[in-house]
Amino acid sequence: MYVIMVYDVGEERVAKVLKTGRKYLTWIQNSVFEGQITESKLEKLKTELKKIIEPEKDSIIFFKLREAYLTKKEIIGREKHDTSNII
Amino acid sequence: MYVIMVYDVGEERVAKVLKTGRKYLTWIQNSVFEGQITESKLEKLKTELKKIIEPEKDSIIFFKLREAYLTKKEIIGREKHDTSNII
């Protein structure tokens, strides 16, 4: 399945959410990840995120699609890339 | 069509992007809008946004789907609402 994950969490938890998200998905913009993921890996990601966030303050939304082709992506302005894997 | 709009713009332009986005879509979380929109209205929204942002610094991504049912939404933590229309 293809997933878009958006997160709105307290400043002190952003780094941990970012680090966790990067293990499963691709960071594409501030507060936004996307990527192909299996059901079981998505469950693992959600379990890890639930240990990090404060549910009464933080919000993470997953938009789940059967396939990536079901959405057309259009960018205005800069395309921000995840430069974390550049050594 | 159904659209998810995510924006990553300079602090000084956030308010204008927010105000413009709210004319066409529903704010659901920090930096995220969603909603049904026609092709012509999406074009108008993009034109207005292009006048606001600085393309070398800012990034706005539209995920366009033919229909809302093509995506399943799942929320972890709080569901943040757009309280701007509450008087």
Side-chain angles (χ1 to χ4, degrees), chain A residues 22 43 55 64 73-74 76:
Chain A
R22 279 198 172 116
E43 287 311 311
K64 301 185 285 187
K73 202 164 94 172
E74 185 176 346
I76 295 180

Side-chain angles (χ1 to χ4, degrees), chain A residues 46 56 62 64 74 78, chain B residues 46 56 64 74 78:
Chain A
K46 287 190 297 188
E56 342 70 55
F62 293 94
K64 301 185 285 187
E74 185 176 346
R78 266 184 70 205
Chain B
K46 287 190 297 188
E56 342 70 56
K64 302 185 283 186
E74 184 175 345
R78 265 184 69 206

Side-chain angles (χ1 to χ4, degrees), chain A residues 14-29:
Chain A
V14 166
K16 273 191 178 172
V17 167
L18 198 53
K19 195 176 166 201
T20 304
R22 279 198 172 116
K23 288 176 7 184
Y24 299 88
L25 298 167
T26 304
W27 181 92
I28 55 169
Q29 189 194 80

Side-chain angles (χ1 to χ4, degrees), chain A residues 10-63:
Chain A
E11 196 57 45
E12 58 283 16
R13 289 179 293 282
V14 166
K16 273 191 178 172
V17 167
L18 198 53
K19 195 176 166 201
T20 304
R22 279 198 172 116
K23 288 176 7 184
Y24 299 88
L25 298 167
T26 304
W27 181 92
I28 55 169
Q29 189 194 80
N30 195 16
S31 307
V32 186
F33 282 94
E34 71 171 353
Q36 292 286 356
I37 191 169
T38 61
E39 194 70 53
S40 59
K41 282 209 169 141
L42 180 58
E43 287 311 311
K44 268 183 78 184
L45 170 57
K46 287 190 297 188
T47 305
E48 290 183 41
L49 291 171
K50 282 174 186 167
K51 289 177 192 157
I52 296 169
I53 68 165
E54 293 192 19
E56 342 70 55
K57 294 178 187 164
D58 299 334
S59 173
I60 298 177
I61 303 176
F62 293 94
F63 294 93

Side-chain angles (χ1 to χ4, degrees), chain A residues 8 29-30 46 53 55-56 58-65 71-76 78 80, chain B residues 8 29-30 46 53 55-56 58-62 64-65 71-78 80:
Chain A
D8 182 356
Q29 189 194 80
N30 195 16
K46 287 190 297 188
I53 68 165
E56 342 70 55
D58 299 334
S59 173
I60 298 177
I61 303 176
F62 293 94
F63 294 93
K64 301 185 285 187
L65 296 91
T71 184
K72 293 279 167 297
K73 202 164 94 172
E74 185 176 346
I75 295 166
I76 295 180
R78 266 184 70 205
K80 301 199 173 187
Chain B
D8 181 357
Q29 188 194 79
N30 195 16
K46 287 190 297 188
I53 68 165
E56 342 70 56
D58 299 334
S59 172
I60 298 176
I61 304 174
F62 293 93
K64 302 185 283 186
L65 296 91
T71 184
K72 293 278 168 295
K73 202 163 95 171
E74 184 175 345
I75 296 167
I76 294 180
R78 265 184 69 206
K80 300 197 174 190

